[in-house]
Amino acid sequence: WLEIEKMKEVARHFRKQGKAKMEIEAFRDALDEWLGCQMELLAAGVKSSFLNFVLDFEARYLARKRERAGLDFDDLEREAVGLLGGSKPAHAAIRSLYQKHFKFIMVDEFQDTSPIQNQLIHLVESGNNLFIVGDWRQSIYGFRGADASLFLEKEKEFSSSGEENYLTLTENFRSRPEL
């Protein structure tokens, strides 16, 4: 670790030199490469331990779900898509039942929809009964799998299909005008 700190100090000295000459640039590149290799070596043990921890956690989590016959949210999404999207006659019957059951489907904050949620929506919609609301610039759930490009695709699809299918709301009623 001490070697790395010394090399970082040398690099700081070169950065203070002002104009960078080709030799300094080459040295910086070599130093960055060396530092990366050293950090990899230092982190190897931690990386291995962390990977083992995650794999152990996953095994225990799956075992606990099996013991309790439980499902988490991701499981529920996958199971619903499997049930509605299967190719067997029973799957088609269930899909048809739900497509007839919902006269209209409204999805708010569509920009925070994940691909599997979008697939589920597609499986229960029927014809022209889907109403979505959202703003791709406000997508905040990427860490949960949300994909704002799905909203942009739907926006493009709706806007190209005619004015009666697409409406842009430009007036804001939720905050002060200056915002």
Side-chain angles (χ1 to χ4, degrees), residues 47-80:
K47 182 178 175 182
S48 176
S49 295
F50 183 72
L51 181 59
N52 289 335
F53 169 77
V54 169
L55 292 173
D56 181 54
F57 175 82
E58 180 184 38
R60 289 174 186 232
Y61 181 65
L62 293 173
R64 184 67 56 98
K65 284 195 307 185
R66 273 192 305 277
E67 285 170 14
R68 296 180 179 197
L71 299 171
D72 62 21
F73 189 73
D74 292 334
D75 296 332
L76 292 172
E77 289 176 326
R78 280 191 302 276
E79 291 295 323

Side-chain angles (χ1 to χ4, degrees), residues 58-154:
E58 180 184 38
R60 289 174 186 232
Y61 181 65
L62 293 173
R64 184 67 56 98
K65 284 195 307 185
R66 273 192 305 277
E67 285 170 14
R68 296 180 179 197
L71 299 171
D72 62 21
F73 189 73
D74 292 334
D75 296 332
L76 292 172
E77 289 176 326
R78 280 191 302 276
E79 291 295 323
V81 167
L83 185 64
L84 295 167
S87 59
K88 294 180 180 175
H91 295 126
I94 294 168
R95 185 170 50 252
S96 177
L97 176 77
Y98 279 97
Q99 287 173 338
K100 290 175 185 169
H101 179 76
F102 297 115
K103 185 174 180 179
F104 298 104
I105 299 172
M106 193 280 233
V107 181
D108 194 11
E109 304 294 348
F110 190 84
Q111 74 276 1
D112 288 321
T113 300
S114 71
I116 196 163
Q117 291 165 343
N118 187 50
Q119 190 177 1
L120 185 58
I121 293 164
H122 177 69
L123 288 167
V124 296
E125 72 175 303
S126 59
N128 200 15
N129 70 337
L130 178 62
F131 179 80
I132 65 171
V133 178
D135 180 351
W136 66 269
R137 293 167 294 210
Q138 294 184 25
S139 182
I140 59 172
Y141 287 101
F143 68 94
R144 283 282 296 139
D147 183 355
S149 72
L150 295 172
F151 180 86
L152 295 172
E153 288 170 17
K154 284 287 187 193

Side-chain angles (χ1 to χ4, degrees), residues 9-25 27-28:
E9 184 58 39
V10 170
R12 278 192 283 276
H13 174 72
F14 276 111
R15 286 187 182 98
K16 293 178 185 176
Q17 293 293 321
K19 288 186 178 179
K21 297 180 181 170
M22 283 181 31
E23 296 85 13
I24 293 173
E25 291 287 329
F27 175 78
R28 277 193 207 159

